[in-house]
Amino acid sequence: MKNELTIFEKIIAGDIPADKVYEDEYCISFKDIAPKAPIHLLVVPKKKIVRISHATPADQELLGHLLLTARTIAEQEGFAEEGFRVVINNGKNAGEEVPHLHLHILAGMKL
Ligand code: AMP
């Protein structure tokens, strides 16, 4: 159904559990349920933006906040120095599974 909530909206609402590492007014971060690296976190804006190709100039500040939050989390979790990767999958050819914008943070190994 078109208006069905995504899994991430349910996590944001607190209706389903997640292994949360960070939260503020604008976004939430939690561990990916199927990690592709020893550290695999997702950063999800509380505002529903379907994917990066749906973002508008009005989202500029929020998009910057998501990247700075990736930095904050990397420092908080202690992997900022050794390095990490930030990935956004946009659409079918990128393998996007959840239609609610999210950053992947991958770390803890040589990628
Ligand atoms: P993407 O392919 O970019 O849409 O990424 C969606 C990610 O969400 C995948 O890496 C999934 O493993 C992850 N995921 C799906 N459901 C959950 C969940 N309930 N808790 C944490 N991560 C999830």
Side-chain angles (χ1 to χ4, degrees), residues 29-94:
S29 178
F30 49 89
K31 294 184 182 169
D32 195 293
I33 206 167
K36 311 282 190 304
I39 298 165
H40 186 171
L41 305 172
L42 302 173
V43 183
V44 183
K46 292 183 176 176
K47 176 184 173 185
K48 168 88 176 260
I49 299 172
V50 173
R51 58 186 60 87
I52 199 74
S53 60
H54 285 220
T56 73
D59 298 315
Q60 181 166 309
E61 204 172 325
L62 176 58
L63 296 176
H65 180 73
L66 297 176
L67 279 178
L68 286 173
T69 298
R71 174 204 155 159
T72 299
I73 292 168
E75 281 166 4
Q76 173 192 298
E77 300 297 310
F79 57 80
E81 279 306 309
E82 69 183 21
F84 60 97
R85 180 174 289 165
V86 176
V87 173
I88 298 175
N89 294 322
N90 188 99
K92 203 170 48 167
N93 277 358

